[in-house]
Amino acid sequence: MRDYFVYTTTTDPRASVMLAELTQEYDARYGDLFSPGGAAEEMRRYPPATFAPPHGNFLLLLRQGQAIAGGAFKRLDEHTAEFKRIWTHSQFRRQGLAGLVLQELEAQCQRQGYRQIYLTTGCRQPEAVGLYLRHGYQAQFDPAGDLEALRTLPFTKAVPWLASAPSHAGYLTELAGIAV
């Protein structure tokens, strides 16, 4: 059995563990720094349609049918997708899965016609900052500055434009070389 990506929705039952763990992690790291309602408020901020084609998408990386990583994007403007909810299950970290999710989301953005990616991470996620920098994202802030004062850390990355970009809402891909 190999790991594989599936494009689905935030209401997919396989996503529930991912979204619950992500909410818990945000609360543990940030509490009410960003809003009085904590992470649950942030997770409810966007309706499921926000991360659905033709302008967005929601991705899960599955292993034996269980979500072990994932992420999403939504339309920021005509040429820019905004990545959200990049996550790896706590039991599967330090295996390069978040990098695979980023690469697949970037490829899907291309297929959906985007030319630029925008994303933010929080000031208390140094591993996310490192991930984005390693994958060619440009910090739109001074990484040596007071990150806690900034709170939200934005990044951008250009993606090559595909002249004939098909959109695959139900796109499923198997990852070669990633065995369980």
Side-chain angles (χ1 to χ4, degrees):
M1 173 70 73
R2 295 182 186 267
D3 295 344
Y4 59 96
F5 287 117
V6 62
Y7 284 90
T8 185
T9 69
T10 58
T11 59
D12 185 321
R14 296 172 295 186
S16 63
V17 170
M18 168 190 160
L19 297 173
E21 189 179 70
L22 185 58
T23 302
Q24 289 173 342
E25 182 158 346
Y26 284 166
D27 273 336
R29 288 184 190 235
Y30 298 105
D32 62 0
L33 179 67
F34 290 105
S35 68
E41 187 174 309
E42 166 60 23
M43 296 302 281
R44 290 189 304 266
R45 189 167 143 192
Y46 303 105
T50 304
F51 304 115
H55 300 299
N57 233 310
F58 183 77
L59 170 73
L60 293 175
L61 176 57
L62 302 180
R63 179 175 291 168
Q64 297 178 339
Q66 301 297 312
I68 60 171
F73 65 87
K74 67 183 196 73
R75 179 184 173 137
L76 188 63
D77 64 41
E78 181 182 354
H79 302 291
T80 309
E82 180 178 3
F83 282 8
K84 304 292 283 181
R85 317 280 190 257
I86 307 296
W87 167 88
T88 300
H89 190 286
S90 58
Q91 294 178 352
F92 300 99
R93 293 188 178 155
R94 315 271 323 144
Q95 297 178 25
L97 301 177
L100 293 173
V101 167
L102 279 178
Q103 291 169 355
E104 180 60 26
L105 286 173
E106 290 170 9
Q108 185 62 25
C109 283
Q110 279 186 303
R111 291 187 287 266
Q112 287 182 226
Y114 290 108
R115 298 180 193 172
Q116 173 98 357
I117 297 167
Y118 173 82
L119 63 83
T120 61
T121 193
C123 58
R124 297 178 183 166
Q125 291 176 265
E127 56 282 283
V129 171
L131 171 73
Y132 301 137
L133 291 172
R134 282 191 311 277
H135 283 270
Y137 287 79
Q138 301 300 310
Q140 302 302 302
F141 60 95
D142 179 2
D146 181 359
L147 304 186
E148 191 75 20
L150 296 174
R151 296 178 13 165
T152 301
L153 311 177
F155 291 84
T156 59
K157 183 176 184 178
V159 291
W161 184 69
L162 296 177
S164 58
S167 177
H168 299 286
Y171 187 80
L172 176 74
T173 221
E174 188 172 320
L175 296 174
I178 300 181
V180 179

